[in-house]
Amino acid sequence: MKKLGFGLMRLPLLDANDASTVDLELLKQMVDLFLEKGFTYFDTAWMYNAFASEKATKAALVDRHPRESFTLATKLHSGFFNSFEDRDKIFQAQLEKTGAGYFDYYLLHGIEAGSYPKYEQFDCFNWLLDKKAKGLVKHAGFSYHDNPELLDEILTKHPEMEFVQLQINYLDWESPWIQSKGCYEVACKHNIPIIVMEPVKGGTLAHLPQEAEQLLQSRAPGMSAASWAIRFAASLPNVMMVLSGMSDMAQMQDNLSFMENFVPLTQEEQDLTFQAAKIINSQIAIPCTGCSYCTEGCPMHIAIPQYFSLYNEDMREVESKGWTINFTNYEALAKNFGRAGDCVECGQCEGVCPQHLPIVETLKKVSQRYDK
């Protein structure tokens, strides 16, 4: 397989305020182009796009293309089952929603210290192997959001896992929170192939500070910032696939332009990405990737990722400056969502955040800027 996978989490929408309103006609065009260029890997999940992604996958991909022409991955997340029976109910519903018949890759989703005991409690690793034995799953693995030590423990206990999905990008490579490099090295130690998620860190590495942008442009004029991020991940020797969430045709065309005939980064180019990371880290206020896991159970319906994005944009320019257009953007969002200051500090968002962000305290900063 070519190394670029279509991540079906940030799909094109008809209504920007409703993640379930997938623009199916545009998605069909994107799927067709992706396959036409020789790419075959598609990645969805139970709760992506407000639970609409798997159905959209059926409409745009499965119903329109021969089953053998594509590779499909989906996942079981610990937040949606509480019994042995729930696992099978979700799996059966996923087969029905996608119409796929079987899944080429199936993942236990978002394993970290808090959720790992639940996967063990409900014997999910053996459950997944049973699905494989029955031909309903071709390859069994898991996605992971925690430290290298726990990853080593899991891979030691479960050598039957065939792959692991990790958050890897040049900004998080040395991050003490994400520890991309450390987790990558653990997977290499166990000789297990890696699928990369968040190579562009939710769009952060597609829109760089001017200094970082100029640094990369000086080496490769005309190449997008996203191309550097995706090629960084794809250049790592143990990486088998790099997922990219593409929400419009322009993103799709850009990704295909440099991954159709992929050329790995040189050592000099890799060093440039680390220089760019230093510039970005000096200016980013909130390292949110916009995955929106935090919003599903928010009792106040707060648009957490969107508010963090507005705040980051303002802080990246001049922290002390007064009014910006983002005050208007914030008010527009607040017409449909709870305000940052409406947070009741229940903490559910922090429990599911893959980046382990202090969301409650950070919302107070956002509220201080926009609500006050």
Side-chain angles (χ1 to χ4, degrees):
M1 291 185 292
K2 292 188 176 183
K3 273 194 172 185
L4 178 67
F6 194 165
L8 302 168
M9 184 171 77
R10 299 181 178 93
L11 297 177
L13 302 177
L14 297 172
D15 179 354
N17 292 321
D18 185 351
S20 69
T21 60
V22 177
D23 186 339
L24 281 176
E25 293 310 309
L26 177 54
L27 180 59
K28 289 176 183 179
Q29 295 175 35
M30 294 170 68
V31 165
D32 292 352
L33 178 60
F34 193 72
L35 289 168
E36 178 188 325
K37 294 296 183 178
F39 297 88
T40 61
Y41 194 98
F42 296 82
D43 173 270
T44 184
W46 178 248
M47 71 286 210
Y48 285 177
N49 277 88
F51 301 92
S53 178
E54 289 175 327
K55 287 184 178 180
T57 301
K58 182 179 190 298
L61 174 66
V62 180
D63 287 348
R64 302 175 58 251
H65 294 278
R67 182 63 184 88
E68 67 276 8
S69 69
F70 61 86
T71 302
L72 183 61
T74 194
K75 314 173 185 78
L76 175 74
H77 191 282
S78 63
F80 301 98
F81 67 89
N82 291 294
S83 69
F84 292 99
E85 292 75 19
D86 284 348
R87 304 168 309 172
D88 287 303
K89 288 179 181 178
I90 290 174
F91 189 89
Q92 186 59 37
Q94 290 176 308
L95 287 174
E96 294 171 3
K97 286 171 70 178
T98 62
Y102 64 90
F103 299 111
D104 300 277
Y105 290 79
Y106 197 91
L107 298 82
L108 303 181
H109 194 183
I111 293 181
E112 40 81 29
S115 64
Y116 176 49
K118 188 172 185 178
Y119 286 114
E120 292 287 10
Q121 175 188 355
F122 290 102
D123 198 25
C124 291
F125 290 90
N126 286 323
W127 170 83
L128 182 51
L129 292 179
D130 180 63
K131 297 299 182 190
K132 181 182 176 184
K134 292 176 179 176
L136 297 172
V137 169
K138 301 299 182 184
H139 300 284
F142 62 96
S143 61
Y144 182 79
H145 287 286
D146 214 304
N147 62 50
E149 292 74 24
L150 179 59
L151 179 60
D152 190 35
E153 176 185 332
I154 295 170
L155 290 177
T156 299
K157 185 174 182 179
H158 295 286
E160 70 277 8
M161 292 293 100
E162 299 172 86
F163 66 96
V164 62
Q165 188 162 301
L166 301 174
Q167 178 170 322
I168 295 178
N169 56 70
Y170 68 77
L171 190 62
D172 289 326
W173 191 245
E174 299 286 357
S175 165
W177 303 104
I178 307 303
Q179 301 186 67
S180 288
K181 180 181 179 183
C183 290
Y184 171 80
E185 290 173 343
V186 167
C188 290
K189 168 188 168 184
H190 288 268
N191 196 32
I192 186 167
I194 297 167
I195 296 174
V196 171
M197 56 183 161
E198 300 290 358
V200 193
K201 200 170 173 66
T204 296
L205 300 182
H207 305 284
L208 305 181
Q210 185 176 4
E211 183 182 353
E213 179 77 28
Q214 290 175 343
L215 176 70
L216 300 182
Q217 283 291 314
S218 67
R219 170 71 183 193
M223 293 297 292
S224 68
S227 73
W228 283 86
I230 292 174
R231 287 176 63 220
F232 171 87
S235 298
L236 297 169
N238 210 40
V239 167
M240 61 173 280
M241 183 63 57
V242 178
L243 304 177
S244 178
M246 294 172 271
S247 54
D248 59 49
M249 185 61 79
Q251 292 175 6
M252 168 74 72
Q253 291 172 332
D254 181 51
N255 284 349
L256 297 181
S257 71
F258 57 83
M259 289 301 290
E260 186 174 6
N261 297 295
F262 169 64
V263 178
L265 294 183
T266 65
Q267 184 60 55
E268 180 184 356
E269 289 172 329
Q270 186 182 75
D271 290 343
L272 280 178
T273 65
F274 293 142
Q275 291 181 44
K278 290 180 180 179
I279 297 169
I280 300 165
N281 278 322
S282 70
Q283 299 184 32
I284 192 168
I286 310 169
C288 170
T289 67
C291 70
S292 295
Y293 289 6
C294 57
T295 61
E296 294 297 337
C298 176
M300 305 308 292
H301 195 45
I302 299 171
I304 299 170
Q306 292 95 320
Y307 292 163
F308 284 180
S309 177
L310 297 180
Y311 187 83
N312 274 338
E313 186 173 315
D314 278 354
M315 296 303 103
R316 189 162 54 241
E317 295 182 35
V318 182
E319 182 175 356
S320 61
K321 71 181 179 182
W323 187 90
T324 69
I325 190 62
N326 282 331
F327 281 83
T328 298
N329 294 335
Y330 178 85
E331 291 299 328
L333 283 167
K335 291 179 181 179
N336 296 297
F337 302 98
R339 306 178 77 87
D342 293 339
C343 175
V344 295
E345 302 186 26
C346 66
Q348 76 81 29
C349 54
E350 295 185 1
V352 298
C353 177
Q355 311 307 317
H356 310 292
L357 299 178
I359 295 175
V360 172
E361 290 303 311
T362 307
L363 280 173
K364 292 178 181 178
K365 295 180 180 179
V366 175
S367 179
Q368 184 65 36
R369 178 165 181 80
Y370 298 113
D371 289 329
K372 305 298 182 182

